[in-house]
Amino acid sequence: MADKMNMEILRYRPEQDEKPWVQKFEVPFTHETSLLEALCYIKDNLDGSLSFRWSCRMAICGSCGMMVNGTPRLACKTFLRDYAGEVMRIEPLANFPIERDLVVDLSDFIEKLERIKPYIIPKEEKKDDEEYLQTPTQLEKYHQFSGCINCGLCYAACPQYKLNKEFIGPAVIALAYRYNLDSRDAGMKQRLELLNQESGVWSCTFVGYCSQVCPKGVDPASAIQLSKIHSTTDYIISKITPGAD
Amino acid sequence: MDIVKADVAIVGAGGAGLRAAIAVAESAPDLDVALISKVYPMRSHTVAAEGGAAGVYRDDDSLYKHFVDTVAGGDWLCEQDVVDFFVDRAPRELYQLEHWGCPWSRQPDGRINVRPFGGMKVPRTWFAADRTGFHMLHTLFQTSIKYSHIHRLDEHFALDLIVHDNQVQGVLTFDIQNGIPRLVLAKSVVIATGGSSRCYKFNTNGGIVTGDGMALAYRHGAKLRDMEFVQYHPTGLPGCGVLMTEACRGEGGVLTNKDGYRYLQDYGLGPETPLGHPKSKYMELGPRDRVSQAFWQEKKKGRTIKTPLGDVVNLDLRHLGEKYLHERLPFICELAKAYVGLDPVDAPIPVCPTVHYTMGGIETDGKTACTIKGLYAAGECASVGIHGANRLGSNSLVETVVFGHVAGDEAAKFSREVDFADQNKTEKEAEDLYAASRSIIGAKGHDENMGRIRAEMGQTMDDGVGIYRDDASIRATIAKLAELKARYKKVKVSDDSNVFNTEWLNAVELGFLLDNAYAMAYSALNRTESRGSHQRLDYPERDDKKFLAHSLATYNGDDAPTITYGSVKITKLKPAKRVYGAEGEKAEAAAKAAAEAEAAKEGK
Amino acid sequence: MKRSNEPIFWSIFGAGGMLVAIFVPVLIALSFFITKIPEGEQINAAKSSIDAAFAWFTYSGFGSFICFLTISGCVWHALHRVYHGMHDLTIHVNFAHQLICYGLAFIISLIALVACAIRMFS
Amino acid sequence: MFEVTKKEAPSKRKPFNRPVEANWWTRKKFYTMYMIRESSVLFAMLFALELLAGMICAATGNDTSCLIKWINFMASWPVKIVNVIGLFAVLYHTYTWFNLMPKAQRLMVKGEPMPGSFVKVALYGALFITSLVAIALAATGLLSI
């Protein structure tokens, strides 16, 4: 007989509730059951009004980020077996406004993602049947930072973003760094305009929890420190070349 | 009701939708695009594709070879002129993605690397480690940010199309975040909503792959073509159905049954190729339908491995070694550890066939135009005619960009020739449609549990319209689907809120799924032959005389869809016996000899 | 889109951090072996080389220069962290806080520099 | 042409912002360790002030009487107790600092990013050598006035 898991889920329906409240559920689970499957079980059988984002169930689309016992995790890659005997406290992703139940408003994150010019600004044009040569080493240099699935867990983990919502945040800087390192790109100068600001890389005090919670090992904390070096070099250059700034 | 007016509306922001939006923004910079998607673009199911995208690259490869592989793979049900166009445009689109920053895997000298893939004679599958779909989608989404004329309507659910006398005028959407309906008036609409594999219970697809666009066009008179051809991917994880990319076998992985025997050689894919040295079109590199069918036969013989999650065979990658695995298949290692608690470096992965792709879709011509004027369809939701009865691995990702580009250009051209519909009349119609769609909420006497209808639909589709089918099993599924459609009319939706009302939206999605499933089942019933992924136990042979034709399903509301048949364009490659492995090699040699003899004769 | 001046402070903070990490531990450890000098006696290396070393460290020209560097490294690094720490403690930091922290670091470094100059040229 | 006309009643959307508690860092062990790491350097500052006192003594007055008072001060047990705690704090700083440093470099060695361990070995090496030199100089009485 499958074991039972006690779950406390933070509910919030904007049209009925003034503030979030906790609803308790009891969900049967086996060795394979993921938190996402448990939430779908609740929605199909216990309370149809429970709303949450999900799609791929294989930790690649980045929809199902939420807080599990206070830790930002992907629901599809969190298994009830690891919480046997405990109560699972499920809350919406931290540091974002709650839209409804476990759905948060990610528009701040998406807007910053668009501001960082996350696209190749090419050094030289290429004909349409000719590729830029990029050795495996050149690819390997930025490849880790191109693995970000935009799930937002690092924003939920970052105390600096909690304290100052102007901070553009770990994932956006990692994406900027991914393009700044790409051998085909020449857009670093433009992206540095945003990174050089107080709310750019300079809001980061290297807590390092963003890299700890990242489900894809992108290590945004490292990207931020390396971007600080870029920004500092750019600062020095701008100060010594007259009228550059 | 809120109204948005845009020259072109695109429903679905996956590979095809984004490429179409960029195509409009580039080819017609003065036009504006409303990119409608029920999820943020980077959540679209393109993100889960792993294997790669096929495009001729190597010197020993040719467009004709890619053409032959695709048509033979599709068991000659392909529109050969469209396949010609497709194989010619494929490389160019992949280079374009490379210019936009897609991190394709590379050879030591910096040139693109390609890898072997099922059914492909010459390696031509471009790949980005084992997350090609993810990298393609993020490249497309991030590149689309460059264009200010692309206005994204994120988390907008497409409830219905507005069609006046067979011409599309707009899309009725629901802004999920704000909980309000929004009518998008457009002069042309591109549908790029992806497949409908969620009709089946056990599948590799995301929760959003519910065939919305297919059902919408179907209900407005567009025909669904070749719906009976549903691809089973041979290697999905049991239970959760997560995909183990075909690239595992492309890189040398092997499939063994409970005795450790590489059983594929018994099913026309032999002889056994040496471990770790895969040979194109042999053994594990056979096309997906053949490899899945071999599993079914092994299971019938009781030679598969029993597990609490069902029958499996072993996908063994151990001989590839840790470094190679972590370089070429890092995501597979991560998934195997997370979902079945095994490290592919030291243990074989249990796999079994899972529903993966819908070959069929909205009938379109070679330029993605549907029978409804102003409506275009691209990607998995469309049946543009290149996959036929079985899609070859890595032909789909490149299809999204090739035909996304075409759909964008065509939609832009069309929108210049027509004008917007009358706003007030259309708005009135949209309000009625919205009210009708909301009427199922809290309706009296509605007490059918949605989850149970969905589960039973999936189960009956798995049972009756699976890898092998016969008349009785399909009819049983059709009867069950009819009962489910009736029960669906009484589906219980208790949540009457507006903001993020996912229960109501799931009910609407279930409606789409049931319509698509109905079309799939009836198309399968009428095709009394075995071709590609549609294998009939009662009609095991391919019947080119009667069934070298596309099936076309026309919507009849709750009644059975009428199934008619459309001709198949054959240009260069005459239908022949579809063979792989050594037999395939012999047949190819014979065909080449015949072609040379013919050429010599003409030469005299 | 104002460029932040943080790179200056961050660079000094980084250098200070390295100095604190590598040099200060042994200094503190050695300071445990400083012994009292009996009444009326002078600093005598034979009797207590540690005392003499610390004396050299603050008294000699070259020694005091290293001591100045050590002090500056420590205070600039520490006060940079105090400034950001206040922000972490949800204190709404503004230019005044910045002035206090970095001003204090500057003053302490200045005192050390002056003392070092005196020792060097006396 | 892209035109938006708003007619619908304002949306019923009411996003809820959870309050930012001042003691957020007590809620999670990771954050608490971060705050400890940040405050560990206060002891380095304390030690710097001790040295500053010494420098001031050395600089004022031409004889070494004040310097001797400073040395006796440094030898007093309250200062030593504070410095014992200070040593652990600074060593914790060293440990965390050397953990973070590898993340601030991205050198490529044989096609792979250089593993962090190389950087740590170099840093702990520097610590070891510096300490050795300092102890040698201090113990041998070479340094004196």
Side-chain angles (χ1 to χ4, degrees), chain A residues 26-227:
Chain A
E26 201 179 57
V27 178
F29 71 98
T30 62
H31 182 263
E32 282 77 24
T33 310
S34 71
L35 172 56
L36 177 60
E37 281 159 13
L39 291 174
C40 288
Y41 174 86
I42 293 172
K43 191 169 180 62
D44 280 346
N45 305 296
L46 305 176
D47 184 338
S49 70
L50 174 66
S51 290
F52 49 93
R53 289 192 178 115
W54 71 285
S55 174
C56 73
R57 52 181 183 47
M58 53 192 265
I60 189 69
C61 75
S63 308
C64 62
M66 51 188 72
M67 304 301 281
V68 181
N69 290 356
T71 305
R73 293 186 63 87
L74 291 179
C76 61
K77 215 176 168 187
T78 302
F79 298 94
L80 270 59
R81 60 172 183 255
D82 302 334
Y83 296 82
E86 297 168 44
V87 173
M88 278 179 89
R89 172 78 176 211
I90 313 297
E91 297 190 5
L93 212 51
N95 302 345
F96 289 104
I98 304 176
E99 202 68 77
R100 164 178 177 156
D101 294 339
L102 299 176
V103 175
V104 289
D105 176 9
L106 282 178
S107 36
D108 179 50
F109 166 57
I110 300 290
E111 187 273 326
K112 283 170 179 155
L113 195 103
E114 292 175 10
R115 261 194 5 235
I116 198 70
K117 295 190 170 66
Y119 40 77
I120 291 285
I121 298 164
K123 277 189 251 239
E124 22 128 24
E125 287 307 325
K126 281 278 180 182
K127 294 203 304 298
D128 62 10
D129 60 354
E130 190 191 12
E131 76 263 45
Y132 291 92
L133 292 186
Q134 183 174 70
T135 62
T137 305
Q138 284 174 317
L139 170 63
E140 190 55 33
K141 198 159 166 53
Y142 70 86
H143 195 252
Q144 167 188 344
F145 303 107
S146 69
C148 169
I149 61 175
N150 302 153
C151 61
L153 295 192
C154 54
Y155 282 73
C158 174
Q160 297 310 336
Y161 182 67
K162 175 200 280 290
L163 298 166
N164 163 23
K165 291 293 186 303
E166 297 299 314
F167 179 32
I168 56 174
V172 169
I173 298 174
L175 190 59
Y177 187 69
R178 170 256 182 277
Y179 276 101
N180 290 342
L181 274 192
D182 195 319
S183 54
R184 299 165 283 196
D185 179 77
M188 173 135 94
K189 198 80 182 85
Q190 297 175 39
R191 293 186 200 98
L192 276 174
E193 274 161 32
L194 193 56
L195 296 174
N196 287 342
Q197 288 176 49
E198 199 55 48
S199 60
V201 294
W202 300 113
S203 288
C204 163
T205 59
F206 207 158
V207 174
Y209 196 40
C210 55
S211 294
Q212 172 123 342
V213 300
C214 176
K216 304 307 267 184
V218 167
D219 198 351
S222 178
I224 297 176
Q225 304 322 308
L226 294 160
S227 296

Side-chain angles (χ1 to χ4, degrees), chain A residues 12 14-15 17-20 70-71 92-94 96-99 105 137 140-141 144-145 157 159-160 162-163 177 205-209 211-212 219 222 226 229, chain D residues 11-22 24-25 27-31 34-35 37-38 97 99-113:
Chain A
Y12 173 67
E15 286 141 275
D17 305 330
E18 274 316 303
K19 61 181 178 50
T71 305
L93 212 51
F96 289 104
I98 304 176
E99 202 68 77
D105 176 9
T137 305
E140 190 55 33
K141 198 159 166 53
Q144 167 188 344
F145 303 107
Q160 297 310 336
K162 175 200 280 290
L163 298 166
Y177 187 69
T205 59
F206 207 158
V207 174
Y209 196 40
S211 294
Q212 172 123 342
D219 198 351
S222 178
L226 294 160
I229 295 169
Chain D
S11 101
K12 302 184 180 60
R13 192 173 159 242
K14 198 174 66 184
F16 180 85
N17 283 300
R18 286 160 281 190
V20 175
E21 316 95 348
W24 56 271
W25 50 277
R27 294 242 178 292
K28 198 118 200 66
K29 181 172 178 302
F30 194 98
Y31 295 148
Y34 158 70
M35 291 302 262
R37 175 192 95 191
E38 291 296 299
W97 190 260
N99 277 343
L100 299 186
M101 274 305 123
K103 302 244 178 131
Q105 58 78 26
R106 188 136 180 104
L107 304 172
M108 301 300 280
V109 168
K110 289 204 293 302
E112 296 287 328

Side-chain angles (χ1 to χ4, degrees), chain B residues 350-398:
Chain B
V351 290
C352 61
T354 51
V355 172
H356 182 56
Y357 188 82
T358 37
M359 262 68 81
I362 307 165
E363 179 200 18
T364 73
D365 67 8
K367 287 278 182 269
T368 74
C370 302
T371 46
I372 299 172
K373 283 210 296 301
L375 189 67
Y376 298 85
E380 188 175 348
C381 71
S383 165
V384 74
I386 60 169
H387 297 312
N390 171 55
R391 167 183 79 87
L392 291 188
S394 70
N395 262 354
S396 163
L397 268 183
V398 67

Side-chain angles (χ1 to χ4, degrees), chain B residues 196-213:
Chain B
S196 185
S197 301
R198 275 273 154 175
C199 294
Y200 288 75
K201 181 158 177 279
F202 187 44
N203 62 70
T204 67
N205 281 202
I208 57 174
V209 185
T210 49
D212 303 10

Side-chain angles (χ1 to χ4, degrees), chain B residues 16 30 114 123 138 140 261 318 335 382 428 512 560 578:
Chain B
D30 58 320
V114 281
H138 278 250
L140 284 167
Y261 170 69
R318 286 174 293 188
L335 289 175
K428 183 71 191 68
F512 295 146
R578 180 165 172 250

